[in-house]
Amino acid sequence: MGSGIFTPSLHNIQIMDPLFGGYLDVVANKLLPYQWEVLNDRVAGTEPSYCIENFRIAAGEHPGVHQGVVFGDTDAYKWLETVAFCLEAGKAKELEATADALVELMGRAMTADGYLNTYYTIDHPDQRWTNLTEGHELYSAGHMIEACVAYTRATGKPLAQELACRFADLICAVFGPGSTQNPGYPGHQEVELALMKLYHATGNARYAQQARYFLQVRGRRPNYLLNELARTGKERIFPEFADYDDKYAQSHKPPVEQSEAEGHAVRAVYMYSAMADVAEAFDDEAMKDA
């Protein structure tokens, strides 16, 4: 397997341009502190996100039910990843203690087997991995893994990446071709590129192989996601999925056979990014061509 092409450390990059350099300062000094207040529902006049509160409920520290969107955990992960990038660039040092506390909260909200998703842990523990089309479990896992890899790289603190490995190990055990494994793949792509980042951070080839597996089984017939929607019936998380088709999530063909961009743009770009990483790591000519 290839060793990968890495972005230079942000410690070694300085953006001197007054326009974009100014934006970096705004993110570190204004945007991230404000977002943290929003995630904690402390900004008057704004709709509550319930994001951090859901983690506290999942950790057993507060009573309550899950509130907010099904993929709301990712707002915390994206915040953490951005803090990591700022810290690596020498900015936002005053947010490091807050970020440390968030990582610790994530660890307390994680179940004994390494699972972390507040929507399912709080309200639907018996439905884990049963609605990959709509539930965003693997999408959320991907953002968690990316954030944790970035935070450990920026700070040298191992806990975040240890949590990411625990969750990734669970995913590798649950999904695959084995007789006791789930043959599914992400409804919303993201975890594939995150697993590749974790592979490069740890050297554990199992994570790269899992990313490749998810890309290889996507688009096979019969279509896993369409069959899943048929099984879950009318109990839609997203009512608009009544008109769902397989192009929406790029599962209409195997990725190596797709020659045009189709469907939901964000899902597509996540998948293409992962394909590039997997193609390089495995020297996969078919995926490179695609």
Side-chain angles (χ1 to χ4, degrees), residues 47-227:
E47 184 178 350
S49 76
Y50 307 105
C51 180
I52 301 303
E53 180 64 11
N54 284 331
F55 281 97
R56 294 191 177 107
I57 296 170
E61 298 171 2
H62 288 182
V65 298
H66 183 278
Q67 296 187 77
V69 293
V70 66
F71 48 80
D73 294 358
T74 64
D75 287 348
Y77 304 147
K78 294 169 188 177
W79 184 89
L80 179 65
E81 186 178 23
T82 307
V83 171
F85 291 150
C86 288
L87 289 172
E88 197 171 359
K91 300 178 183 294
K93 186 67 178 176
E94 66 280 3
L95 293 175
E96 186 170 351
T98 302
D100 287 344
L102 173 58
V103 172
E104 292 167 1
L105 175 59
M106 289 159 52
R108 297 194 300 274
M110 179 174 276
T111 62
D113 64 355
Y115 182 85
L116 182 56
N117 185 294
T118 67
Y119 174 80
Y120 284 95
T121 296
I122 295 170
D123 287 350
H124 305 285
D126 59 335
Q127 296 178 26
R128 292 179 4 175
W129 315 126
T130 62
N131 190 348
L132 301 179
T133 313
E134 298 180 278
H136 286 71
E137 283 170 281
L138 290 168
Y139 165 82
S140 297
H143 278 298
M144 180 268 191
I145 292 168
E146 279 199 278
C148 289
V149 168
Y151 196 69
T152 291
R153 185 182 64 228
T155 65
K157 298 172 182 176
L159 177 59
Q161 192 162 292
E162 289 172 1
L163 296 177
C165 289
R166 286 182 61 193
F167 203 176
D169 289 342
L170 175 66
I171 290 167
C172 291
V174 168
F175 293 94
S179 60
T180 61
Q181 288 181 293
N182 186 323
Y185 48 83
H188 191 313
Q189 305 93 305
E190 212 288 342
V191 75
E192 301 92 336
L193 70 90
L195 287 166
M196 291 305 298
K197 288 187 177 183
L198 189 59
Y199 156 62
H200 287 307
T202 63
N204 188 336
R206 186 185 188 195
Y207 303 140
Q209 291 160 355
Q210 187 68 36
R212 191 185 196 192
Y213 169 81
F214 280 141
L215 291 170
Q216 288 176 329
V217 297
R218 190 175 205 88
R220 291 183 181 176
R221 291 291 184 265
N223 186 292
Y224 180 90
L225 301 179
L226 292 179
N227 284 350

Side-chain angles (χ1 to χ4, degrees), residues 229-244:
L229 282 172
R231 288 198 306 273
T232 53
K234 297 180 180 180
E235 297 179 3
R236 300 270 70 83
I237 297 174
F238 297 99
E240 60 269 29
F241 273 26
D243 298 323
Y244 181 94

